[in-house]
Amino acid sequence: MPEGQIVRAVSGFYYIRSAEGDVQCRARGVFKKRKQSPLVGDMVTYEPTDPGQGVVTAIAPRTSELMRPPIANVEQAVVVASLREPGVQRELLDRFLVHAEREGLRIIICLTKGDLVDDSGEVDAIRTVYDPAGYPVLVTSAHTGEGVEELAAELAGRLSVFAGQSGVGKSSLLNTILPEVELATGEVSRKLGRGRHTTRQVEILALPGGGQVADTPGFSQLSFQQMEETALGECFPEMALRSPQCKFRGCLHHNEPRCAVQEAVKRGEIDEGRYRNYLQFLDEIREQRRY
Ligand SMILES: Nc1nc2c(ncn2[C@@H]2O[C@H](COP(=O)(O)OP(=O)(O)OP(=O)(O)O)[C@@H](O)[C@H]2O)c(=O)[nH]1
Ligand SMILES: [Mg+2]
Ligand SMILES: [Zn+2]
């Protein structure tokens, strides 16, 4: 039976790209019974029915899986945040970073709308926070083309996902990288100061030089279901690096004595804002486990 990759999903239909061409499929009922659902990015086997149509019969094991945005098998996450309209939301950024780390993804932080800020102080401050975690920070502008070539080079040859709040300019940036596609973009609401959820579906697009990139709908909430307390620290690279020096194995870096992470925060080697977000997430995970 033929195989292919799900590149888009719309209300129960899966659009599959395969050597045979593009095929529109439904999923076999058995997936629903198993509470399994195909995701964009899945490599699947399908059974052709009519020309250009078929039924998904099997899903290959995933190398990674994100629930928000929902996509499988990505290798790299481009975490998109805008410097203005709306400004960078550090907490949401850190939330997504945890999920991307958990899936072992390569990560790039992409700051958009660089044309709206004149001094570099703000960007430098963000770099100071994320350098110790090992995340490259790229500044881009869909209006001036700043950083676009650099970003395109990072996308080459792999499957990446653009993820971030609504209105930060994910689709606009992809339009500058992929001039032959015309993704819809939407104004940021002046009144609410946020985007209007213009992109409604996850869609995988082919890059001209090889590789693929997925545009996704913006999100503003992200929870930590099915995450263990002890796994959280592993998703903050600058903390994971130091935890072997903590006195206690399984240290949660909260109020344990002789904790290398808390000491590094005090010395200013770990950003305080990152650490605060870590504690906030730890609290949320504990709350969830209570039920
Ligand atoms: N000044 C400036 N505005 C930009 C830039 N990139 C995007 N915008 C504007 O930001 C608004 C939102 O852009 P979109 O590309 O639709 O944002 P998005 O992240 O795809 O939003 P959703 O699809 O809702 O998740 C639009 O009005 C764009 O014109 C930029 O580099 N500079
Ligand atoms: Mg969009
Ligand atoms: Zn510790």
Side-chain angles (χ1 to χ4, degrees):
M1 264 191 276
E3 291 170 11
Q5 177 194 37
I6 301 179
V7 293
R8 202 156 61 90
V10 184
S11 47
F13 282 104
Y14 301 95
Y15 295 82
I16 293 170
R17 196 164 295 155
S18 75
E20 264 85 332
D22 287 359
V23 188
Q24 182 184 323
C25 288
R26 285 210 169 263
R28 192 163 260 181
V30 60
F31 293 126
K32 204 166 242 168
K33 257 181 246 152
R34 283 193 229 135
K35 294 209 166 128
Q36 207 183 8
S37 81
L39 282 175
V40 173
D42 268 329
M43 301 305 291
V44 298
T45 306
Y46 65 92
E47 197 180 301
T49 49
D50 296 303
Q53 290 182 20
V55 179
V56 175
T57 54
I59 304 172
R62 294 169 180 157
T63 60
S64 70
E65 177 185 282
L66 290 172
M67 282 310 154
R68 193 168 282 182
I71 190 163
N73 300 325
V74 294
E75 300 160 82
Q76 173 165 268
V78 178
V79 195
V80 187
S82 52
L83 288 159
R84 295 277 186 283
E85 301 176 14
V88 178
Q89 308 267 320
R90 291 264 315 268
E91 190 191 312
L92 186 65
L93 183 60
D94 286 344
R95 267 178 208 276
F96 184 77
L97 288 171
V98 167
H99 287 268
E101 279 292 339
R102 190 106 194 280
E103 294 301 312
L105 307 184
R106 197 171 186 267
I107 295 168
I108 296 176
I109 296 175
C110 176
L111 302 176
T112 58
K113 310 194 188 184
D115 54 287
L116 298 182
V117 292
D118 342 297
D119 88 294
S120 61
E122 202 171 326
V123 172
D124 291 344
I126 295 171
R127 285 214 168 97
T128 308
V129 172
Y130 292 100
D131 263 354
Y135 301 136
V137 176
L138 271 182
V139 181
T140 62
S141 166
H143 287 192
T144 66
E146 177 187 3
V148 169
E149 238 171 80
E150 231 177 321
L151 179 60
E154 295 294 334
L155 299 179
R158 43 173 83 91
L159 172 56
S160 307
V161 61
F162 272 34
Q165 257 188 303
S166 177
V168 296
K170 300 179 293 297
S171 303
S172 303
L173 198 52
L174 284 171
N175 281 339
T176 66
I177 293 171
L178 300 156
E180 67 281 17
V181 303
E182 279 178 39
L183 300 166
T185 63
E187 292 285 297
V188 171
S189 154
R190 278 275 137 85
K191 206 166 111 210
L192 302 169
R194 54 178 134 87
R196 300 172 194 264
H197 296 283
T198 307
T199 303
R200 297 282 174 177
Q201 300 144 11
V202 177
E203 180 171 8
I204 294 182
L205 307 155
L207 291 159
Q212 295 174 306
V213 61
D215 191 15
T216 67
F219 57 86
S220 51
Q221 274 164 357
L222 205 52
S223 62
F224 298 103
Q225 269 144 26
Q226 281 151 24
M227 179 131 186
E228 297 289 323
E229 287 165 59
T230 48
L232 185 64
E234 294 301 307
C235 297
F236 283 75
E238 69 274 52
M239 297 187 193
L241 196 74
R242 285 164 172 102
S243 62
Q245 270 81 55
C246 292
K247 178 163 192 252
F248 297 104
R249 195 167 288 203
C251 180
L252 293 174
H253 323 309
H254 182 201
N255 40 27
E256 296 89 342
R258 312 236 331 251
C259 164
V261 168
Q262 291 171 73
E263 282 160 19
V265 174
K266 273 190 209 120
R267 283 197 301 271
E269 292 165 11
I270 289 177
D271 177 70
E272 234 173 277
R274 286 269 289 167
Y275 181 63
R276 252 197 321 272
N277 284 340
Y278 165 81
L279 291 180
Q280 157 79 23
F281 302 162
L282 189 66
D283 231 32
E284 285 177 30
I285 292 168
R286 286 179 168 161
E287 273 305 309
Q288 273 163 14
R289 284 165 63 107
R290 216 165 284 162
Y291 301 102

